[in-house]
Amino acid sequence: MVGDKARGEMNAFQRNESKETLFTFISAGDDPPKGDFPVQKKSPKLCGSNYPLSIAFIVVNEFCERFSYYGMRAVLTLYFLSFFHWDENLSTAVYHAFSALCYFTPVIGAIMADSWLGKYKTIIYLSIVYVVGHLIKSVGAIPSLGNQVVHVILSMVGLFLIALGTGGIKPCVSAFGGDQFEEEHTSERSKFFSIFYLSINAGSLISTFVTPVLRGDVKCFGEDCYALAFGVPAALMVLALGEDGEGSLELGMWQGQFAIKNRLKNRSRQIPKRDHWLDWASEKYSKQLIGEVKMVTRVLFLFIPLPMFWALFDQQVQYSALQGIYVLQPDQMQFLNPLLILVFIPIFDLGLYPLINMCKFNFTPIRKMATGMILAGMAFGLAAVVELKINETDMPQLVPEESLIRVLNLAKNPVQVTIQDRDLFQQPVEAFQNPAEYSKLILNGEQQSLRFTLQHQGLSLAFNYTVKEKSVYSLIVFEAEGSLSSRLITDLEAKPENGLAAVRFINGLSQDVNVSIDSKRFIAVQKNYSASEYSLLERDKYNNGKCITEMGEFTLELGLLDFGASYTIVITNVSGGDVKTWKSEDIKANNVHMAWQLPQYLLISAGEVMFSITGLAFSYSQSPASMKSVLQAGWLLTVAVGNTLVLVVAQAAPMAQWAEFVLFTVLLFAVCIIFSIMGYFYVSVDPEDLEEKEEKRETSSRGNMISLVTQKTKL
């Protein structure tokens, strides 16, 4: 019977192997013949260290891939706004949908790597998909190629392929890098994840600087060169295909489905209970595979609270409402995060962590991640305080049947203004007086016609104007044809977005004028105190403007237009070859300095180093060899869930920005407590120990049974 069994197994092997095999019989206690197993060659090392040479290729690959991804993403929203002419809501929605998709597709890459192709082939094939996506995206940005429908279709196809490529290789590259280390070099493997994360942020930092320059400073097809901005990241991704190494693993996650079905079929009380629900899969799967899946499910259960960290981390920063630092623009503050990561990683690995170990404190991965969550919560607590300070210069929030109004007296003498049945302006308004704060005007409906009375040098004049709710107005008082007149104009209801300054012009001349600002913006303003629309400008000093009239061209000095402010420039007269102006600040400039964001960035970046790098290393260390990509995908999935959570909360319960910061801060601290309790009861397991125990168990159960060992030979 033994011989028949051996022959049957031999035939099975002969059917599946290209080479013929014979079997030799050995005792379970004997050593296997030396010739049966090839000696494993150790991989070449990097500069005499314990780091495999292949690690250099992997790190360079990740740098190029992150440069490619973040470089493309840096100009993506602007591409939607200026190239497709989409509105801000649609552009933001598509951007966030693309970002979320990039963190859901790692599940696809993990399944491909662990159950089908192996990590190396998955990285290569999906990198090709990645490059094709970038190329299609670049072609779609060529203005002369087709109409807007063609551009949108090509761009969306390109973005989908990019999301599939970048997401699919995410769980494979880090796990593939960890696989390169021999088991005795666990310390070097742990530091590899820090180096890996450093390459991510280096690619992000450089590309976020370079790509906008390629887009704005280089012109092609007569406009901003989006084709080049997308093409350079594509070229970097081609370089990333130079990675070396190989691997092929097996996925065993599908046993959970069998375990559930088997348990439902055996619900009788007479059937003995099993220790774990996955043990019900033992009729079909090996004990070792079941033990490995148990490890993965325990870690995935531990990951459940983690999306709250990413919900805070990925929220929009406050740079648009802050003052700049010298030549640094507010939106460039986002470069601080990758820059601080590059600084913190060596400080933590070479200084802080060794110092903590010297103090005999067991700073486990769970404790590191919990500390990172606490630091992130503190950062957003500070963000709420800064947001409250920022709001001090905001316009008041209007409610139904409520409006705001003020008076601009452009006449030569003081004017007393009264409004029908209202007692708003107690004192006369002086000529060219800096306007006071807006006064609240209560209406008796959505809109109301009101009578305005002007008293000037013993004369009383009345004007009727219709005022709408939730609107902001300026009443302009001026002299026309020897008499007093007025005009009600609409003002901005909120601060300009993105830290820009808003400016409009009132033409006090008796002739039309054209205003040129920064040699780019031409604004036509009609005569006799007509008002122009608002123009949005970058924060700067504008002293070289031009005012073109029938009498000639004159220099126009506007002075400093500051962050988040709104201005009204009144052109009063022309004398001595110059245009005389008067400037009013309608909405105050931001008075919170960007330096107030530095503590936030320090805390959130330190928290990211402790949380994210530790999470990557922990995911790798706690996963068996056959499921390392799956667990890496599970870690990345927490990022996707965190992004989705932010969108759900923002849409379900709109609230003030500071209140949202406080809410997420409280939630993160609560989740941190839950995660710490879960981590306290989590027992770390070495996958290698699990395999050794299973091998010993199988050996002891066989006793001295005859074992079959394959031996390749010639017949």
Side-chain angles (χ1 to χ4, degrees):
M1 289 181 63
V2 173
D4 293 338
K5 183 178 180 182
R7 282 192 295 273
E9 292 187 13
M10 180 178 68
N11 292 334
F13 267 76
Q14 288 173 339
R15 285 193 298 269
N16 294 321
E17 295 285 334
S18 60
K19 294 184 179 180
E20 297 165 346
T21 58
L22 290 176
F23 299 90
T24 58
F25 300 94
I26 62 171
S27 170
D30 295 340
D31 293 331
K34 294 182 179 179
D36 292 343
F37 301 96
V39 178
Q40 184 178 0
K41 294 182 180 180
K42 292 194 174 184
S43 59
K45 298 298 188 291
L46 187 64
C47 301
S49 66
N50 290 325
Y51 289 89
L53 182 61
S54 56
I55 291 300
F57 293 97
I58 294 173
V59 170
V60 172
N61 170 281
E62 187 63 17
F63 171 83
C64 293
E65 191 275 326
R66 289 290 87 185
F67 184 103
S68 173
Y69 174 75
Y70 284 108
M72 179 275 302
R73 204 178 71 165
V75 296
L76 189 58
T77 301
L78 190 61
Y79 175 68
F80 292 152
L81 291 170
S82 61
F83 193 83
F84 289 165
H85 304 291
W86 288 352
D87 59 40
E88 188 172 350
N89 291 334
L90 179 59
S91 301
T92 303
V94 175
Y95 176 85
H96 280 294
F98 167 72
S99 299
L101 184 61
C102 290
Y103 284 96
F104 279 110
T105 51
V107 176
I108 299 175
I111 294 174
M112 291 176 60
D114 284 350
S115 65
W116 181 25
L117 295 175
K119 298 186 187 72
Y120 175 69
K121 290 183 179 178
T122 300
I123 294 171
I124 292 297
Y125 294 160
L126 289 182
S127 293
I128 294 174
V129 173
Y130 201 164
V131 171
V132 172
H134 270 299
L135 293 176
I136 294 176
K137 188 78 178 65
S138 301
V139 172
I142 299 176
S144 58
L145 185 67
N147 55 23
Q148 183 169 351
V149 175
V150 175
H151 296 153
V152 171
I153 292 175
L154 289 175
S155 296
M156 294 303 105
V157 171
L159 286 177
F160 175 78
L161 294 178
I162 290 171
L164 180 60
T166 185
I169 67 177
K170 276 180 188 294
C172 305
V173 177
S174 57
F176 185 65
D179 290 344
Q180 307 305 305
F181 291 87
E182 293 148 6
E183 290 306 319
E184 62 268 23
H185 298 146
T186 55
S187 176
E188 287 80 2
R189 177 188 289 159
S190 178
K191 288 185 174 60
F192 157 73
F193 289 102
S194 295
I195 299 173
F196 181 80
Y197 208 76
L198 190 143
S199 69
I200 291 175
N201 284 273
S204 168
L205 178 67
I206 297 174
S207 67
T208 314
F209 268 112
V210 172
T211 310
V213 173
L214 295 176
R215 187 269 310 165
D217 293 358
V218 180
K219 300 297 179 182
C220 56
F221 307 104
E223 53 187 72
D224 287 352
C225 199
Y226 286 101
L228 180 63
F230 294 138
V232 170
L236 264 292
M237 198 57 220
V238 172
L239 293 179
L241 283 171
E243 181 189 9
D244 195 12
E246 61 180 307
S248 179
L249 300 173
E250 185 178 349
L251 179 66
M253 292 295 291
W254 304 113
Q255 62 175 276
Q257 181 181 1
F258 177 80
I260 295 174
K261 291 181 178 179
N262 195 28
R263 178 67 183 93
L264 294 175
K265 291 178 181 178
N266 298 275
R267 288 176 290 179
S268 174
R269 295 183 179 179
Q270 298 177 353
I271 299 176
K273 294 182 179 181
R274 301 186 183 182
D275 294 335
H276 195 278
W277 67 275
L278 283 171
D279 291 333
W280 289 94
S282 59
E283 283 81 1
K284 186 175 181 180
Y285 298 94
S286 67
K287 291 183 178 180
Q288 179 177 344
L289 186 57
I290 292 174
E292 291 175 349
V293 177
K294 285 180 182 178
M295 289 181 61
V296 173
T297 55
R298 289 172 64 243
V299 178
L300 291 177
F301 178 74
L302 191 64
F303 283 175
I304 290 177
L306 302 187
M308 187 54 66
F309 175 88
W310 300 113
L312 266 73
F313 183 81
D314 290 322
Q315 287 193 65
Q316 184 178 2
V317 293
Q318 302 160 308
Y319 58 77
S320 64
L322 300 172
Q323 291 180 339
I325 303 176
Y326 301 109
V327 297
L328 185 66
Q329 295 297 318
D331 57 348
Q332 291 177 321
M333 286 289 287
Q334 59 187 313
F335 297 123
L336 271 181
N337 177 250
L339 181 62
L340 289 172
I341 294 295
L342 297 179
V343 174
F344 280 158
I345 286 177
I347 291 177
F348 280 36
D349 281 351
L350 303 178
L352 180 62
Y353 292 156
L355 182 62
I356 293 176
N357 291 334
M358 290 175 58
C359 297
K360 306 299 181 182
F361 179 74
N362 186 19
F363 204 28
T364 63
I366 300 293
R367 291 174 178 172
K368 287 181 183 178
M369 294 168 69
T371 303
M373 296 171 79
I374 292 172
L375 292 175
M378 294 171 61
F380 267 74
L382 289 176
V385 175
V386 174
E387 187 69 24
L388 287 172
K389 185 67 176 176
I390 291 173
N391 290 344
E392 292 180 359
T393 59
D394 277 355
M395 293 289 288
Q397 294 293 322
L398 297 175
V399 299
E401 299 185 1
E402 183 179 274
S403 294
L404 297 177
I405 192 168
R406 65 168 186 172
V407 177
L408 293 180
N409 182 10
L410 307 182
K412 298 179 180 178
N413 298 295
V415 175
Q416 178 67 54
V417 179
T418 57
I419 303 177
Q420 172 186 332
D421 300 328
R422 271 77 173 175
D423 188 16
L424 295 181
F425 306 107
Q426 301 293 332
Q427 301 296 328
V429 181
E430 299 292 332
F432 292 94
Q433 171 184 317
N434 287 328
E437 298 289 336
Y438 283 93
S439 299
K440 189 174 294 185
L441 189 61
I442 306 300
L443 309 178
N444 58 10
E446 293 183 0
Q447 65 181 29
Q448 183 179 359
S449 179
L450 296 175
R451 186 178 183 84
F452 291 74
T453 302
L454 309 180
Q455 295 179 350
H456 175 70
Q457 293 183 330
L459 297 177
S460 180
L461 299 172
F463 302 89
N464 292 324
Y465 295 109
T466 299
V467 180
K468 297 180 180 180
E469 66 178 3
K470 294 185 177 181
S471 299
V472 182
Y473 297 97
S474 286
L475 180 68
I476 304 175
V477 180
F478 56 92
E479 295 179 8
E481 298 179 355
S483 179
L484 200 65
S485 185
S486 67
R487 183 171 288 153
L488 190 67
I489 60 176
T490 304
D491 296 354
L492 286 182
E493 301 170 6
K495 275 181 171 292
E497 296 182 351
N498 302 321
L500 298 175
V503 60
R504 69 177 173 185
F505 295 88
I506 295 178
N507 181 10
L509 305 180
S510 58
Q511 53 186 302
D512 297 341
V513 300
N514 290 311
V515 176
S516 170
I517 305 175
D518 200 20
S519 301
K520 297 178 182 178
R521 299 177 183 268
F522 292 89
I523 304 168
V525 192
Q526 295 181 355
K527 60 185 177 181
N528 297 331
Y529 294 93
S530 297
S532 69
E533 298 293 332
Y534 283 97
S535 295
L536 298 179
L537 301 171
E538 298 284 346
R539 189 258 191 190
D540 202 351
K541 287 185 177 181
Y542 294 89
N543 292 327
N544 295 316
K546 300 294 181 182
C547 181
I548 304 172
T549 70
E550 295 176 356
M551 296 181 290
E553 181 178 302
F554 305 94
T555 301
L556 186 64
E557 295 186 2
L558 305 182
L560 176 65
L561 303 182
D562 212 346
F563 292 113
S566 173
Y567 300 93
T568 296
I569 309 292
V570 181
I571 301 175
T572 57
N573 56 55
V574 177
S575 64
D578 291 330
V579 173
K580 301 298 182 182
T581 61
W582 176 74
K583 182 168 69 173
S584 165
E585 188 178 47
D586 306 336
I587 300 177
K588 292 183 179 179
N590 304 327
N591 59 6
V592 179
H593 201 276
M594 286 172 60
W596 283 102
Q597 270 202 308
L598 293 178
Q600 301 174 43
Y601 273 99
L602 289 170
L603 288 171
I604 196 72
S605 300
E608 182 186 358
V609 170
M610 285 191 170
F611 182 86
S612 190
I613 298 177
T614 306
L616 278 173
F618 179 77
S619 301
Y620 184 90
S621 68
Q622 293 300 291
S623 56
S626 62
M627 300 181 189
K628 291 193 179 296
S629 294
V630 169
L631 205 48
Q632 292 291 315
W635 168 257
L636 294 170
L637 200 59
T638 64
V639 183
V641 176
N643 286 333
T644 306
L645 185 62
V646 173
L647 294 176
V648 170
V649 172
Q651 295 296 326
M655 60 184 70
Q657 186 70 65
W658 69 268
E660 189 172 315
F661 286 159
V662 171
L663 173 63
F664 277 100
T665 300
V666 172
L667 289 176
L668 182 60
F669 280 127
V671 165
C672 181
I673 295 173
I674 296 173
F675 175 72
S676 300
I677 296 173
M678 295 170 64
Y680 178 79
F681 292 101
Y682 179 84
V683 179
S684 181
V685 178
D686 188 348
E688 299 297 329
D689 293 342
L690 182 67
E691 294 178 4
E692 292 178 3
K693 290 180 181 178
E694 185 61 29
E695 289 176 359
K696 291 180 180 178
R697 186 182 298 111
E698 291 179 356
T699 303
S700 62
S701 64
R702 289 197 306 264
N704 287 327
M705 285 179 60
I706 295 176
S707 298
L708 300 177
V709 178
T710 61
Q711 182 179 19
K712 294 182 180 179
T713 183
K714 293 182 179 179
L715 287 176

